[in-house]
Amino acid sequence: SYMIRACAATTNDAGFCAQLANHAVHEAMHGSTNCLMGYWNNVFTAVPISLCVSKRKTVNTRGDLWRAVREITVSLKDTGRMLRSSQGPKPVVDPEALKRGEVKVL
């Protein structure tokens, strides 16, 4: 899934990414393949890719989460601090899901 960010990366983000990278290297050296590193319940975990892609997440466009995302996005646009497209991938939206009131994160 996508993590939605409305601010610049911090030193904490850099430290967290370094820890993820360190654990990924150790897993690879241990012989683990086809996995992603994650952080769950204060523990770094190796999650099989097959498990990561086994179910799609959806966001209800009439729900609180999407409302909060829109509020942040509009607020950033109004203040001129909108993130440029070069700063990350854009989510793909299924038009049919949008009509039904949910957005599929692909």
Side-chain angles (χ1 to χ4, degrees):
S1 68
Y2 288 92
M3 291 185 71
I4 300 168
R5 292 194 55 105
C7 59
T10 65
T11 54
N12 288 338
D13 295 327
F16 180 69
C17 288
Q19 287 181 310
L20 279 174
N22 188 26
H23 283 84
V25 168
H26 283 286
E27 282 296 316
M29 290 172 58
H30 186 262
S32 298
T33 59
N34 294 323
C35 63
L36 301 173
M37 292 309 300
Y39 191 70
W40 189 21
N41 292 329
N42 298 318
V43 176
F44 285 94
T45 57
V47 183
I49 291 176
S50 59
L51 180 62
C52 295
V53 298
S54 65
K55 184 178 177 185
R56 284 204 175 178
K57 292 187 175 185
T58 58
V59 176
N60 181 351
T61 57
R62 294 186 179 96
D64 292 335
L65 175 62
W66 188 248
R67 181 184 48 76
V69 170
R70 293 292 297 150
E71 286 174 358
I72 291 169
T73 305
V74 170
S75 173
L76 289 174
K77 186 176 179 182
D78 290 345
T79 59
R81 297 182 311 159
M82 194 70 168
L83 295 176
R84 286 186 234 108
S85 61
S86 63
Q87 292 180 330
K90 292 182 180 179
V92 179
V93 177
D94 177 9
E96 294 303 316
L98 190 58
K99 288 178 186 176
R100 290 190 306 271
E102 57 185 33
V103 173
K104 290 187 178 182
V105 180
L106 306 174

